[in-house]
Amino acid sequence: MATTTKFSVLDRSRTRQGVTAPEALRETVRFARYVESLGYHRFWVSEHHSVPGVAGSAPTVLAAAVAGATTTIRVGTGGVMLPNHQPLVVAEQFGVLESLFPGRVDMGLGRSVGFTDGIRRALGRDRSDADDFPGRLAELLAYFTGDGTTHPEVHAHPAEGLRPPAFVLATGKGARVAAEAGLPLVIAAVRGEDAMLRAVEEYRRDFRPSAWGERPYVMLSGTVAVAATSEEARRLLIPEAWSTAYSRTHGAFPPLTPAGTVLATPMTERERALFEEARRGHLAGSEEEITAGLEKLLARSAADEYLVTTSTYDRDALLDSYRRLAGLVGLTPRSVSTTS
């Protein structure tokens, strides 16, 4: 099934020890060109505000840079956090992107608000704004179709009349929002694989065809690390796992550090437990092991697409992992322009 499933990439523009945030953003653009050459279907960027260790704060701006540096790969957001923005402005931004790069732009949308109370205050938002995600989503989509009722006298130019594909990023209840809106679902196993698969089943059951989608479309999202040996692949997960554990005990994501540095770092009992937890639940191994793992997951989920979200400190090993994955799932390499 892996060779009949689309594979795409999400990059969070993670900073690394010794690499500045501006350089991390430039790495993202170079990375997009690389995965385009390997034959991946989409390249998405994310939105994080005031999060140390993550440089991607303006996804539509970064998506424009990525689209300008590539030629064929679809480009989008994974995603724009709609509660942080006015739907009109989001519609205008994607209208501009779709106008500049017609037929290549994806509009991935999430319901998260700022990381901390201070960030939410700076954004002029609070936790309750996430509850209005369905309403904001409906308002946004209506700016493209031109039949909105929230502000009927307002039109989003140049968005009106355009139709960049919209996706809903979800963990649990967001799957219902996607089903009711008739939109594709992007979902990760944040609460475990079984919980994710139950949400997928409910999404398919409750899906309502719309002008944006005639049938359910499921994109799974997760980390996939491929290397010559299982040990090397699991080592790729160490920097991100430590960053995640640190964030849950200190409230900030540190830049990614080498795996050896992490393993030599003294950890409290809680940090150690969180670190080990963050290393579990991912696909990591040799090409044979990854093939078996993907086949099992794709058979259970019947997913249409898989969005790979792997980050690590060792850039060469990361690129090699994506190259190995492209080969084992049968992606067709593309020739890319050297002048973009």
Side-chain angles (χ1 to χ4, degrees):
M1 293 187 68
T3 56
T4 59
T5 303
K6 294 175 182 176
F7 278 79
S8 299
V9 175
L10 168 68
D11 187 58
R12 295 187 176 89
S13 302
R14 295 287 276 111
T15 61
R16 297 179 294 134
Q17 191 176 71
V19 177
T20 66
E23 178 60 19
L25 293 172
R26 293 190 289 270
E27 282 186 341
T28 290
V29 176
R30 290 193 293 269
F31 183 38
R33 289 175 57 81
Y34 178 71
V35 299
E36 178 182 51
S37 73
L38 294 175
Y40 284 91
H41 184 57
R42 310 178 201 274
F43 187 90
W44 284 4
V45 296
S46 62
E47 174 183 335
H48 297 275
H49 297 286
S50 189
V51 179
V54 184
S57 58
T60 54
V61 177
L62 185 53
V66 168
T70 55
T71 56
T72 58
I73 195 169
R74 296 196 64 86
V75 176
T77 56
V80 165
M81 296 300 131
L82 198 49
N84 292 337
H85 310 279
Q86 293 299 331
L88 172 63
V89 175
V90 176
E92 290 171 339
Q93 291 173 343
F94 278 98
V96 170
L97 283 171
E98 178 64 18
S99 299
L100 294 174
F101 308 101
R104 291 181 58 207
V105 173
D106 298 323
M107 186 165 57
L109 306 163
R111 66 182 295 272
S112 296
V113 290
F115 187 52
T116 65
D117 287 339
I119 297 170
R120 288 189 285 272
R121 286 193 296 270
L123 291 170
R125 300 290 185 265
D126 58 42
R127 291 179 183 273
S128 64
D129 285 299
D131 298 333
D132 191 35
F133 178 62
R136 287 175 176 267
L137 178 62
E139 181 182 343
L140 170 63
L141 298 180
Y143 283 123
F144 288 92
T145 57
D147 55 4
T149 58
T150 305
H151 304 286
E153 74 284 2
V154 176
H155 298 269
H157 302 299
E160 190 168 310
L162 301 179
R163 194 63 60 86
F167 299 76
V168 172
L169 281 62
T171 53
K173 72 167 73 172
R176 179 175 300 176
V177 176
E180 293 177 350
L183 295 176
L185 171 69
V186 184
I187 188 166
V190 176
R191 298 185 176 91
E193 185 175 306
D194 288 341
M196 176 184 72
L197 294 176
R198 285 194 297 271
V200 168
E201 182 180 359
E202 292 169 2
Y203 162 74
R204 290 192 174 111
R205 181 196 66 203
D206 299 334
F207 184 84
R208 301 176 185 174
S210 72
W212 295 84
E214 297 180 355
R215 66 172 186 87
Y217 189 95
V218 175
M219 188 191 305
L220 302 187
S221 174
T223 295
V224 182
V226 196
T229 67
S230 299
E231 183 180 357
E232 290 177 63
R234 289 194 294 270
R235 192 175 179 85
L236 286 175
L237 304 181
I238 289 173
E240 186 69 54
W242 169 239
S243 183
T244 299
Y246 188 93
S247 74
R248 294 182 63 182
T249 52
H250 296 77
F253 286 89
L256 298 175
T257 55
T261 302
V262 173
L263 295 177
T265 299
M267 300 184 193
T268 65
E269 184 176 340
R270 174 164 169 74
E271 286 173 340
R272 175 66 63 180
L274 290 170
F275 171 65
E276 295 299 337
E277 178 185 338
R279 295 179 69 184
R280 294 192 291 269
H282 307 293
L283 288 170
S286 65
E287 285 157 304
E288 294 78 10
E289 291 169 321
I290 293 301
T291 298
L294 281 173
E295 289 290 346
K296 180 181 177 181
L297 177 59
L298 295 174
R300 292 189 70 194
S301 64
D304 300 280
E305 189 169 343
Y306 197 102
L307 182 68
V308 187
T309 62
T310 312
S311 296
T312 193
Y313 173 84
D314 188 331
R315 203 69 181 173
D316 290 338
L318 178 70
L319 299 182
D320 183 62
S321 175
Y322 276 96
R323 180 189 62 79
R324 289 174 182 269
L325 177 61
L328 69 89
V329 300
L331 300 187
T332 303
R334 300 184 179 101
S335 60
V336 297
S337 170
T338 59
T339 59
S340 296

